[in-house]
Amino acid sequence: MQNPTNLLGLHVLLTLKTAHNSKLTTCDSFINFVNLLLQEHDLELIGQTSHVFENNSFTIAFCLKESHICIHTWPEINQLTTDVYLCNYSCDNTQKVRTISNQITNYFEATIVKQTEVNR
């Protein structure tokens, strides 16, 4: 167990803008991408739910043993929101949260509109 002062971990919230609208409407591709991230970062998926809307925008929640990754896309305004939260119970996941957030930003070839880091 980690130091109790940082046990709850880091939560990164992002609003992103992209010119690649097709990525905002391809739910299955993003699910495949996140599954690769989970393997790369040795994170355990315990559940997943998603919904595709009439305009093919999507919302997905990946429930992890370590916490979660969520996304909501808005192709009509070329934006998405995502949040990545990992607790530090078994190890310090702070850098993983930042890396995964950057990888998601790169996946969408996006620019950051707003970024918030919350130490829980």
Side-chain angles (χ1 to χ4, degrees):
M1 182 166 58
Q2 291 294 304
N3 177 340
T5 61
N6 74 341
L7 188 62
L8 297 180
L10 180 65
H11 193 172
V12 173
L13 302 105
L14 293 167
T15 301
L16 304 175
K17 186 166 188 79
T18 182
H20 300 278
N21 229 15
S22 63
K23 291 188 176 185
L24 298 173
T25 58
T26 51
C27 182
D28 290 340
S29 295
F30 186 72
I31 289 170
N32 292 336
F33 170 73
V34 170
N35 284 328
L36 291 173
L37 286 181
L38 299 180
Q39 290 175 8
E40 176 185 342
H41 295 287
D42 196 29
L43 298 171
E44 186 176 337
L45 181 69
I46 57 173
Q48 172 191 314
T49 190
S50 63
H51 179 78
V52 177
F53 296 92
E54 309 78 46
N55 65 349
N56 289 320
S57 63
F58 57 88
T59 185
I60 308 170
F62 299 89
C63 298
L64 310 176
K65 183 174 95 174
E66 301 80 6
S67 197
H68 70 267
I69 298 172
C70 295
I71 184 170
H72 312 279
T73 68
W74 285 275
E76 62 273 16
I77 58 171
N78 297 342
Q79 291 192 17
L80 65 125
T81 59
T82 185
D83 66 286
V84 180
Y85 175 38
L86 301 176
C87 73
N88 289 337
Y89 184 79
S90 59
C91 65
D92 185 348
N93 285 311
T94 302
Q95 191 54 48
K96 282 184 188 181
V97 172
R98 290 186 177 122
T99 299
I100 291 168
S101 297
N102 288 334
Q103 289 174 300
I104 291 171
T105 302
N106 291 339
Y107 171 84
F108 285 100
E109 300 175 62
T111 56
I112 298 171
V113 174
K114 185 174 184 180
Q115 179 173 352
T116 304
E117 287 193 358
V118 179
N119 288 299
R120 296 289 183 187

